[in-house]
Amino acid sequence: MDVERFERELPHLFERFPESSRPRDRRFEHVLEAVPGLARENNLALLNLAARLLGLGESYVEVGSFRGTSLVAAMLGNDGEFVAIDDFSFDEATPEGLESSLERFGLEGATILAGNAFELLERGALEGRSVGVYYYDAAHDHESQLRGLRLVEPHLAHEALLIVDDSDWDEVRRATADYLAGQPQARLAFDIPGSEGWWEGMQVISWLRA
């Protein structure tokens, strides 16, 4: 994952970063119309850029896919391996529905893992993968948030991005702070507050393996 390039290019997706309510690329408006989700166009543009900068052989992994809005946005126009992990406990969330969302955009090849994310990660669901982008949008209590970040560490590429959704929430922010305080290989690259354009906020953590 080219972390430096991501940090350099993200602001240029917008007229004014992070104040713009929409990105320059309006493809993601159509994504939200077709697959309504808990996001804004800006959030989706960020995920798409991150996935575009995956290194050879690296994976994009997201925990919490719901109907597939974020996964569709990440895959749109990009190559690579994409993995979605979800227990599909939300109303209207099913593996079949997620697959249907991908098919609507002609997207193929994603791996969908149904079940408890923590159990799957602890049982080695990502074994053999080099994760360049990890997007966490699942249980947002402090313990789960922190656990979700720590469990992926063995699978991260030499350089990687950990993207945290709903970062305006107190428990999420506290977990991110605690994670960074205990992990010298990680640093906070972006802390984007929630707004009309950014839903409930996003944090981007840059990872560099020592």
Side-chain angles (χ1 to χ4, degrees), residues 122-157:
E122 287 171 344
R123 291 204 302 263
L126 298 180
E127 197 67 39
R129 291 184 169 92
S130 177
V131 179
V133 178
Y134 179 70
Y135 174 50
Y136 184 88
D137 187 20
H140 286 321
D141 61 278
H142 177 267
E143 181 181 353
S144 296
Q145 192 81 31
L146 196 53
R147 189 180 177 193
L149 294 174
R150 289 173 172 166
L151 281 174
V152 77
E153 287 184 344
H155 310 289
L156 292 175

Side-chain angles (χ1 to χ4, degrees), residues 1-192:
M1 173 70 201
D2 193 336
V3 168
E4 182 180 347
R5 184 177 170 190
F6 174 85
E7 294 179 10
R8 186 173 65 249
E9 292 190 8
L10 178 63
H12 296 292
L13 299 183
F14 310 91
E15 291 288 343
R16 291 184 304 123
F17 175 78
E19 293 85 4
S20 296
S21 60
R22 296 177 178 84
R24 299 177 192 270
D25 184 348
R26 300 308 308 281
R27 289 180 297 167
F28 308 106
E29 180 181 28
H30 179 49
V31 173
L32 284 169
E33 289 173 351
V35 189
L38 305 176
R40 295 285 188 264
E41 291 176 56
N42 288 355
N43 306 81
L44 303 185
L46 184 152
L47 294 175
N48 183 266
L49 174 64
R52 177 156 54 85
L53 299 179
L54 285 170
L56 185 65
E58 292 179 354
S59 302
Y60 166 98
V61 176
E62 65 175 38
V63 175
S65 294
F66 193 22
R67 299 187 185 98
T69 313
S70 55
L71 186 61
V72 167
M75 295 181 69
L76 207 61
N78 292 327
D79 296 319
E81 183 186 40
F82 294 84
V83 179
I85 303 174
D86 201 303
D87 64 2
F88 298 99
S89 57
F90 274 15
D91 290 343
E92 303 178 22
T94 64
E96 295 76 19
L98 178 54
E99 290 173 353
S100 177
S101 296
L102 296 174
E103 291 170 0
R104 189 173 305 171
F105 286 86
L107 301 171
E108 300 177 343
T111 299
I112 299 173
L113 302 177
N116 180 282
F118 305 126
E119 293 176 2
L120 287 168
L121 291 173
E122 287 171 344
R123 291 204 302 263
L126 298 180
E127 197 67 39
R129 291 184 169 92
S130 177
V131 179
V133 178
Y134 179 70
Y135 174 50
Y136 184 88
D137 187 20
H140 286 321
D141 61 278
H142 177 267
E143 181 181 353
S144 296
Q145 192 81 31
L146 196 53
R147 189 180 177 193
L149 294 174
R150 289 173 172 166
L151 281 174
V152 77
E153 287 184 344
H155 310 289
L156 292 175
H158 178 71
E159 289 186 78
L161 295 176
L162 293 83
I163 302 171
V164 174
D165 202 24
D166 297 316
S167 57
D168 278 2
W169 298 14
D170 290 342
E171 292 295 280
V172 174
R173 296 189 71 80
R174 188 162 67 88
T176 298
D178 288 347
Y179 177 74
L180 293 169
Q183 180 46 270
Q185 297 179 101
R187 63 177 175 82
L188 186 62
F190 294 99
D191 187 358
I192 305 169

